[in-house]
Amino acid sequence: MSPTPTHWIVTLVCEDRPGIVHAVSGAIVSAQGNITESQQFSSADSGRFFMRLQVESAVSREVFEAALLPVTERYRMTWQLDVVGRPLRTLVLVSRAAHCLNDLLFRQRAGQLAVDLPLVLGNHPDLGELAAFYGVPFESHPVTTPGQKLAFEDRVLEVVEEHDIELVVLARYMQILSPELCAALTGRIINIHHSFLPGFKGANPYKQAHARGVKLIGATAHFVTSDLDEGPIIEQNVVRVDHSRTPGELVAIGQDEESRTLTQAVKWFAEHRVLLDGARTIIFT
Amino acid sequence: MSPTPTHWIVTLVCEDRPGIVHAVSGAIVSAQGNITESQQFSSADSGRFFMRLQVESAVSREVFEAALLPVTERYRMTWQLDVVGRPLRTLVLVSRAAHCLNDLLFRQRAGQLAVDLPLVLGNHPDLGELAAFYGVPFESHPVTTPGQKLAFEDRVLEVVEEHDIELVVLARYMQILSPELCAALTGRIINIHHSFLPGFKGANPYKQAHARGVKLIGATAHFVTSDLDEGPIIEQNVVRVDHSRTPGELVAIGQDEESRTLTQAVKWFAEHRVLLDGARTIIFT
Amino acid sequence: MSPTPTHWIVTLVCEDRPGIVHAVSGAIVSAQGNITESQQFSSADSGRFFMRLQVESAVSREVFEAALLPVTERYRMTWQLDVVGRPLRTLVLVSRAAHCLNDLLFRQRAGQLAVDLPLVLGNHPDLGELAAFYGVPFESHPVTTPGQKLAFEDRVLEVVEEHDIELVVLARYMQILSPELCAALTGRIINIHHSFLPGFKGANPYKQAHARGVKLIGATAHFVTSDLDEGPIIEQNVVRVDHSRTPGELVAIGQDEESRTLTQAVKWFAEHRVLLDGARTIIFT
Amino acid sequence: MSPTPTHWIVTLVCEDRPGIVHAVSGAIVSAQGNITESQQFSSADSGRFFMRLQVESAVSREVFEAALLPVTERYRMTWQLDVVGRPLRTLVLVSRAAHCLNDLLFRQRAGQLAVDLPLVLGNHPDLGELAAFYGVPFESHPVTTPGQKLAFEDRVLEVVEEHDIELVVLARYMQILSPELCAALTGRIINIHHSFLPGFKGANPYKQAHARGVKLIGATAHFVTSDLDEGPIIEQNVVRVDHSRTPGELVAIGQDEESRTLTQAVKWFAEHRVLLDGARTIIFT
């Protein structure tokens, strides 16, 4: 009797060359795997090749890795092997706005978002009750002085270390991260911010958007780089508004877009569907 | 036997004060009119009141105007009285891209766009054949020297004068208008341009959008002011794209959004549904 | 010193005749009111006239009503006078699915949905904990026998009576209401159900939709009539899906559409923006 | 000096078994090909495996086919080898409505739709002028008697034969095809029709949709089977409408959705992105 097969996710990135798919699929065959989902992309910009596979196989992780090794070495691949549905260890940073955290927690509990949340960390205590309802530990520390900011970021790194955190989500965390923290967690921090067509620079963009009578407002989820709000884009959404909306209503509408856009980005990341190609993301949905 | 009633459009703008609606509806009653559609908006930004009515009435234009006069004078209104469905005298300026002109012409012929097109004016001869198919006169003059540009703009003003043009549509007309022309036709020129979240400044925005991996691209139709691409927004649309799109494909997708967005803006303008509130538009759809 | 004005909502329905707007606006003037928002519609189907006004006025309710009375009597109007933002007394019925209730509760607490929730009533105990988190009383009674169903519906009517309930929301309440209950609460029960293009009759529509490979799935919020799922439509939304979705994933995607569509419908109803014209709704958004 | 490579499309369908991807990619390697795009899907419904590849290779068609042959035979594949961008030989059938034909012709000329149109065939002469403008031959034959219908369908089959037609597009062709014609061209006829949530059976669905106040109307492009309007769905779109729309306006809005939905479906079919899995389509976009 054969053991129940595991559903695996394999992601691979390397320089694009002929024969990669044949080599990879050969390794899958030798791991007695059956490919159930496969996506690939050759970037004309970077000359790199990206692949994501879902594979059914009853072999152990060690055997699977051993089967992949010759290929990943030959093509000098960056690669990852994970189990479908394994909850991603995720740290959420918040301030006072509840909408993004609420959506993440509700979907996690509803089984629609495979994340493990060992801690929600805030610079305000306001969201502690919400976290408690969902049974997620919560901690808050004020960040009003440079020293407190340093301490807060040290605590972030400590939690990342302690819980082996794979993703940090800025769920309307209203502090700018230090370049050091961005660098330490590069490719592992996702932020959400409002977006408009066209973009508005400077303070109070909703007021500017109102002043020019924009007809669409939205949100962008992106990786955080030290160049704030300019990291690689993961997901975007917009919704239609009209002249009768006050700046306050635009904010409320924008928050809905922020929630669903951030949750979508986290979900894709947790499923290893988001790969980086320089300043662009490859999204295998 | 009473004569067949005419369907009228009335638009009114004035300082917001109590009693306006009562005064206006009283004038409509005295013109034996029946209000079939009515929209209004009080701008908290400017303190101005905006109203658009559709009215069935069998009286003549002179009688209708006489009934409105006491009210429009008392409240110092800017106002307009027009007949529903009257084709708006429209001049279209084009360069070489056909997509926006094709959409305008097709919808005009299909009876979905109430415009009269006495002339299409281009700075390239390419679109003459398309205009000819729809039986619309076409003229082209090169604009490669300052003198030619001056002459082209003089020709625009001459056509506006000669045909009593009410709207000038820049259907991918790839020349910047002089401040003088913008000023002469203020509130009567509609332009279309591509839009992104976030916006990209500088040359070749599709290439920039591609480089950052944007997930939504769109178009904005707006009034032209001397501050190019920054006039009051009339309509916006976006469409979803992914990492596999080349910059060239993004251009093609963007063109579809440009066509439908521009045609929509022209349609609303022709139906007197677009009113200006400073830098914002009030759209009574 | 004049008292702070109240923001009022007035809705009016009557047979369409000339002069209504003038008469209504005259009554507003005599109540020292200023119209800040006004929408109207003349139904060609029914010959009826629909109007919704927002009015600023510092007079008392009694004075306002007295000012409206001569007009509402002359035109035999069905009408309502309410205060902007007053929470609507709402009873929510649920079964086991949490997504719609969660969205209603979160938005109510976030101040985006003006409803008062004296009770959530379920035929299963599952959602009691969620209601408790938001501090909303919860009661559950099994409905597995005809007698229990009768008792449940009696309890509904009792709660409606006791709390002067204005709206009953079926937030995925999975029992068919008796014709008697539908009749007793006509125009005051909103239901949500999944929707497809084209529609699928019979059991397990998601499975049917999957089998035919539909590309869009959605949700419809509608008034409940004794003809189940066929009452007047209030709001609809769809979202795109593709061939890779399992029937189970279609269900999850459909639930998101259900939540946001139901909440939107409740919000519009609470703001008196939903009027009935026979089997159609007039939505003044 | 190596010859310029050709860009090929390979589509493959067979029973799902382990090792297919490895076998196919091995054949590509032996044809000196480089996979630039690859999509696959394992259908849990039918147990079948679907694959679409784009491959750069400088070998001749004969060499490429020879390389694929052992694999396609071993797995008993249904397969196709084509060149990217080759125009699909397409016959368009029309009646009197111009919107779908206009969109197809404009996009074909604009280079956005790789189809060859040897003939447009109508049962009315109305669209001859439009076809002529785009330089496409046009023929019309009345279909008002059973004999004429038989003759028309014979002419369709004759044109299919003569021009080796690969796709027949019903661009608002308002005649029901005979079961014989459907059978003769199964999987090669695409139709467009309006769609609603929920669906409406019987005559004049726009009137029914209006009567119930639907908020979304749309269009569905699908393969034609002898069960009219019930074939596998290729693409669907919807657009929002409100209570103020007359049945006539709903028709105009629906036509826009029909045009863009049909053109999209034809484009995907021409690019071999549409594969059939029983009553479902697999769309590799």
Side-chain angles (χ1 to χ4, degrees):
Chain A
M1 200 194 88
S2 66
T4 310
T6 300
H7 293 260
W8 301 92
I9 300 167
V10 187
T11 58
L12 309 157
V13 182
C14 65
E15 192 189 329
D16 195 12
R17 287 159 53 191
I20 301 173
V21 175
H22 188 56
V24 170
S25 56
I28 303 297
V29 168
S30 76
Q32 298 163 46
N34 189 28
I35 300 172
T36 57
E37 199 179 318
S38 168
Q39 286 158 302
Q40 62 179 80
F41 180 67
S42 298
S43 170
D45 299 278
S46 65
R48 294 189 77 69
F49 174 86
F50 300 83
M51 191 169 206
R52 181 187 186 277
L53 298 161
Q54 287 193 202
V55 176
E56 271 187 344
S57 168
V59 303
S60 69
R61 172 182 288 272
E62 289 67 34
V63 171
F64 205 143
E65 288 184 349
L68 287 170
L69 198 66
V71 179
T72 59
E73 290 197 334
R74 181 170 10 134
Y75 291 94
R76 299 186 190 174
M77 290 170 162
T78 306
W79 65 286
Q80 209 166 5
L81 179 67
D82 204 348
V83 171
V84 170
R86 179 185 68 80
L88 199 78
R89 294 178 301 275
T90 303
L91 169 63
V92 182
L93 304 193
V94 299
S95 292
R96 312 180 74 168
H99 56 288
C100 286
L101 180 63
N102 179 70
D103 202 64
L104 291 167
L105 292 171
F106 176 71
R107 278 167 212 288
Q108 194 256 6
R109 172 176 289 185
Q112 294 168 16
L113 185 63
V115 293
D116 233 31
L117 300 170
L119 186 66
V120 171
L121 196 53
N123 64 328
H124 292 276
D126 309 41
L127 304 183
E129 192 194 359
L130 177 61
F133 171 66
Y134 283 100
V136 174
F138 178 86
E139 227 182 82
S140 77
H141 309 285
V143 178
T144 51
T145 68
Q148 286 176 334
K149 179 164 177 167
L150 209 61
F152 191 93
E153 295 202 346
D154 282 348
R155 181 64 185 133
V156 169
L157 288 171
E158 197 176 74
V159 173
V160 166
E161 179 74 20
E162 185 188 339
H163 293 280
D164 198 9
I165 291 294
E166 299 164 284
L167 174 66
V168 176
V169 177
L170 308 188
R172 301 303 289 153
Y173 177 65
M174 303 305 281
Q175 295 284 324
I176 294 175
L177 302 187
S178 70
E180 292 72 29
L181 191 66
C182 294
L185 298 171
T186 187
R188 287 193 285 161
I189 319 180
I190 295 178
N191 186 34
I192 183 73
H193 72 94
H194 39 59
S195 291
F196 306 88
L197 294 90
F200 297 98
K201 299 286 181 187
N204 209 334
Y206 282 105
K207 207 168 163 187
Q208 290 186 63
H210 175 81
R212 185 146 173 239
V214 298
K215 308 305 180 196
L216 296 175
I217 63 173
T220 297
H222 63 97
F223 283 113
V224 173
T225 58
S226 49
D227 184 4
L228 188 69
D229 290 350
E230 296 289 339
I233 294 168
I234 301 169
E235 173 64 334
Q236 303 185 297
N237 283 298
V238 291
V239 71
R240 185 164 285 271
V241 294
D242 71 17
H243 61 265
S244 70
R245 299 300 190 169
T246 63
E249 289 173 326
L250 294 185
V251 170
I253 293 166
Q255 287 183 345
D256 272 8
E257 295 308 294
E258 289 169 9
S259 300
R260 69 182 185 109
T261 303
L262 179 61
T263 298
Q264 182 64 78
V266 171
K267 184 175 163 66
W268 284 338
F269 187 90
E271 296 171 359
H272 303 291
R273 296 184 182 279
V274 181
L275 300 176
L276 269 168
D277 182 26
R280 312 176 64 215
T281 56
I282 311 304
I283 312 283
F284 286 138
T285 57
Chain B
M1 200 195 85
S2 66
T4 310
T6 300
H7 292 261
W8 302 91
I9 301 167
V10 188
T11 58
L12 308 156
V13 182
C14 64
E15 193 190 328
D16 195 11
R17 288 158 53 191
I20 301 174
V21 175
H22 189 56
V24 170
S25 57
I28 303 295
V29 168
S30 76
Q32 298 162 44
N34 189 27
I35 298 172
T36 57
E37 198 178 320
S38 168
Q39 286 157 301
Q40 62 180 78
F41 180 67
S42 298
S43 170
D45 298 278
S46 65
R48 296 189 76 69
F49 174 85
F50 299 82
M51 190 169 207
R52 181 187 184 277
L53 298 162
Q54 287 194 202
V55 177
E56 270 188 343
S57 167
V59 304
S60 69
R61 173 182 288 271
E62 288 69 33
V63 171
F64 204 144
E65 289 185 348
L68 288 170
L69 199 64
V71 178
T72 59
E73 288 196 335
R74 178 166 17 130
Y75 290 94
R76 298 189 193 171
M77 288 170 163
T78 305
W79 64 287
Q80 210 167 3
L81 178 67
D82 203 348
V83 171
V84 170
R86 180 186 67 80
L88 199 79
R89 293 178 301 275
T90 303
L91 169 62
V92 182
L93 303 194
V94 298
S95 291
R96 310 180 76 168
H99 56 287
C100 286
L101 180 62
N102 180 71
D103 202 64
L104 291 167
L105 292 171
F106 176 72
R107 279 168 210 287
Q108 193 254 7
R109 171 175 290 184
Q112 294 170 14
L113 185 63
V115 293
D116 233 33
L117 301 169
L119 186 66
V120 172
L121 196 53
N123 64 329
H124 290 279
D126 310 40
L127 303 183
E129 194 193 357
L130 177 61
F133 171 67
Y134 283 100
V136 174
F138 179 85
E139 230 181 80
S140 78
H141 308 284
V143 179
T144 51
T145 69
Q148 286 175 335
K149 180 165 177 169
L150 209 62
F152 191 95
E153 295 201 346
D154 283 348
R155 181 63 185 133
V156 169
L157 288 171
E158 197 176 74
V159 173
V160 166
E161 178 75 20
E162 186 188 341
H163 293 281
D164 199 8
I165 290 296
E166 298 165 285
L167 175 65
V168 176
V169 177
L170 308 189
R172 300 305 287 153
Y173 176 65
M174 302 305 283
Q175 295 284 325
I176 294 175
L177 302 188
S178 69
E180 293 74 27
L181 192 65
C182 293
L185 299 171
T186 187
R188 287 193 286 160
I189 319 181
I190 294 178
N191 187 35
I192 182 74
H193 72 95
H194 38 61
S195 291
F196 305 89
L197 294 89
F200 297 98
K201 300 285 182 187
N204 209 335
Y206 281 105
K207 209 170 160 185
Q208 290 186 62
H210 174 81
R212 192 155 166 231
V214 298
K215 307 306 181 196
L216 295 174
I217 63 173
T220 297
H222 62 97
F223 283 114
V224 173
T225 58
S226 48
D227 186 2
L228 188 69
D229 291 348
E230 295 290 340
I233 294 168
I234 301 168
E235 173 63 336
Q236 302 185 298
N237 283 297
V238 290
V239 71
R240 186 165 284 272
V241 295
D242 72 16
H243 61 265
S244 70
R245 299 300 190 169
T246 63
E249 289 172 328
L250 294 185
V251 170
I253 292 166
Q255 288 184 344
D256 272 8
E257 294 309 293
E258 289 169 9
S259 299
R260 70 183 185 108
T261 304
L262 179 60
T263 297
Q264 183 64 76
V266 170
K267 184 175 163 66
W268 285 338
F269 187 91
E271 295 171 0
H272 303 291
R273 297 184 182 279
V274 181
L275 300 176
L276 268 168
D277 182 27
R280 311 176 65 215
T281 56
I282 311 304
I283 312 283
F284 286 139
T285 56
Chain C
M1 200 196 84
S2 67
T4 309
T6 299
H7 292 260
W8 301 91
I9 300 167
V10 188
T11 59
L12 308 157
V13 182
C14 64
E15 192 189 330
D16 195 12
R17 287 159 53 191
I20 300 173
V21 175
H22 189 57
V24 170
S25 56
I28 303 296
V29 168
S30 76
Q32 299 163 45
N34 189 26
I35 299 172
T36 57
E37 200 179 318
S38 167
Q39 285 157 302
Q40 63 179 79
F41 180 68
S42 298
S43 170
D45 298 277
S46 65
R48 295 188 77 69
F49 174 87
F50 300 83
M51 191 168 207
R52 181 188 186 276
L53 297 162
Q54 288 194 202
V55 176
E56 270 188 343
S57 167
V59 303
S60 68
R61 172 181 290 271
E62 289 67 33
V63 172
F64 204 144
E65 289 185 348
L68 287 170
L69 199 66
V71 179
T72 59
E73 289 196 335
R74 181 169 10 133
Y75 290 94
R76 298 186 191 173
M77 289 169 163
T78 306
W79 63 287
Q80 208 165 6
L81 179 65
D82 204 347
V83 170
V84 171
R86 180 185 68 80
L88 200 79
R89 294 178 299 275
T90 303
L91 169 63
V92 182
L93 304 192
V94 299
S95 291
R96 311 181 73 168
H99 55 288
C100 287
L101 180 61
N102 179 70
D103 202 63
L104 291 167
L105 292 172
F106 176 71
R107 278 167 211 288
Q108 195 256 4
R109 171 176 290 186
Q112 294 168 15
L113 185 63
V115 293
D116 234 31
L117 300 169
L119 187 66
V120 172
L121 196 52
N123 63 329
H124 290 278
D126 309 41
L127 303 184
E129 192 194 1
L130 177 61
F133 171 66
Y134 284 100
V136 174
F138 179 86
E139 229 182 80
S140 78
H141 308 283
V143 178
T144 52
T145 68
Q148 287 176 332
K149 179 164 179 168
L150 210 60
F152 191 94
E153 295 202 346
D154 282 348
R155 180 64 185 133
V156 169
L157 288 170
E158 197 176 71
V159 174
V160 166
E161 180 75 20
E162 183 188 341
H163 294 280
D164 198 9
I165 290 295
E166 298 164 285
L167 175 67
V168 176
V169 177
L170 308 188
R172 301 304 287 152
Y173 177 66
M174 302 306 282
Q175 294 285 326
I176 295 176
L177 302 188
S178 70
E180 292 72 29
L181 192 65
C182 294
L185 298 171
T186 187
R188 288 193 285 161
I189 318 181
I190 295 178
N191 186 33
I192 183 73
H193 72 95
H194 40 60
S195 292
F196 305 90
L197 295 89
F200 297 99
K201 300 284 182 189
N204 207 334
Y206 282 104
K207 207 168 162 187
Q208 290 186 63
H210 175 81
R212 189 150 169 234
V214 298
K215 308 306 180 196
L216 295 175
I217 63 173
T220 297
H222 62 97
F223 283 114
V224 173
T225 59
S226 49
D227 185 3
L228 187 68
D229 290 349
E230 297 289 339
I233 294 168
I234 301 170
E235 173 63 335
Q236 303 186 297
N237 283 298
V238 291
V239 71
R240 185 164 286 270
V241 295
D242 72 17
H243 61 265
S244 70
R245 300 300 190 170
T246 63
E249 288 173 326
L250 295 186
V251 170
I253 293 166
Q255 287 183 345
D256 272 7
E257 295 308 295
E258 290 169 9
S259 300
R260 69 181 185 110
T261 303
L262 179 60
T263 299
Q264 182 65 75
V266 171
K267 184 174 162 66
W268 284 338
F269 187 91
E271 296 172 358
H272 303 290
R273 296 184 182 279
V274 182
L275 300 176
L276 268 169
D277 182 27
R280 311 176 65 215
T281 55
I282 311 303
I283 313 283
F284 286 138
T285 57
Chain D
M1 200 193 86
S2 68
T4 311
T6 300
H7 293 259
W8 302 91
I9 301 166
V10 187
T11 60
L12 309 157
V13 183
C14 64
E15 193 190 328
D16 195 11
R17 287 159 53 191
I20 301 174
V21 174
H22 188 57
V24 171
S25 56
I28 303 295
V29 168
S30 77
Q32 298 162 45
N34 189 29
I35 299 172
T36 57
E37 199 179 318
S38 168
Q39 287 157 301
Q40 63 180 77
F41 181 67
S42 298
S43 170
D45 299 278
S46 65
R48 296 189 77 68
F49 174 86
F50 299 83
M51 190 169 209
R52 181 187 185 276
L53 299 162
Q54 287 194 202
V55 177
E56 271 187 343
S57 167
V59 304
S60 69
R61 172 181 290 270
E62 288 67 33
V63 171
F64 204 144
E65 289 184 348
L68 288 170
L69 198 65
V71 179
T72 59
E73 289 196 336
R74 180 168 14 132
Y75 290 94
R76 296 186 193 174
M77 289 169 163
T78 306
W79 63 287
Q80 210 166 4
L81 178 66
D82 204 348
V83 171
V84 170
R86 181 185 67 80
L88 199 79
R89 293 177 301 274
T90 304
L91 169 63
V92 182
L93 304 193
V94 299
S95 291
R96 309 181 75 169
H99 56 288
C100 286
L101 181 62
N102 179 71
D103 203 63
L104 291 167
L105 292 172
F106 176 70
R107 278 167 211 287
Q108 194 257 5
R109 172 176 290 185
Q112 293 169 14
L113 186 63
V115 293
D116 234 31
L117 300 169
L119 186 66
V120 171
L121 196 53
N123 64 329
H124 291 278
D126 309 41
L127 303 184
E129 193 194 358
L130 176 61
F133 171 65
Y134 283 100
V136 173
F138 179 86
E139 231 182 79
S140 78
H141 308 284
V143 177
T144 52
T145 69
Q148 286 176 335
K149 179 163 178 170
L150 210 61
F152 190 95
E153 295 202 345
D154 283 349
R155 181 63 185 133
V156 169
L157 288 170
E158 196 175 72
V159 173
V160 166
E161 179 76 19
E162 185 188 340
H163 293 281
D164 199 9
I165 290 295
E166 298 164 284
L167 175 65
V168 176
V169 177
L170 308 188
R172 300 303 288 152
Y173 176 66
M174 302 304 283
Q175 295 285 324
I176 295 175
L177 302 188
S178 69
E180 292 74 27
L181 192 64
C182 293
L185 298 172
T186 188
R188 287 193 286 160
I189 318 180
I190 294 178
N191 187 34
I192 183 74
H193 71 94
H194 39 59
S195 291
F196 305 90
L197 294 90
F200 297 98
K201 299 285 182 187
N204 208 336
Y206 281 105
K207 207 169 162 185
Q208 290 186 63
H210 175 81
R212 191 155 166 231
V214 298
K215 308 306 180 196
L216 293 175
I217 63 173
T220 297
H222 63 98
F223 283 114
V224 173
T225 60
S226 49
D227 186 3
L228 188 68
D229 291 348
E230 296 289 341
I233 294 168
I234 302 169
E235 173 63 337
Q236 302 185 297
N237 283 296
V238 291
V239 71
R240 187 164 283 270
V241 295
D242 71 17
H243 61 265
S244 71
R245 299 300 189 169
T246 64
E249 289 173 325
L250 294 186
V251 169
I253 292 166
Q255 288 183 345
D256 272 7
E257 295 309 293
E258 289 169 9
S259 300
R260 69 182 184 110
T261 304
L262 179 60
T263 298
Q264 182 65 75
V266 171
K267 184 176 163 65
W268 284 339
F269 187 90
E271 296 171 358
H272 303 291
R273 297 185 180 279
V274 182
L275 300 176
L276 268 168
D277 182 26
R280 312 176 65 215
T281 56
I282 311 303
I283 312 282
F284 286 139
T285 58

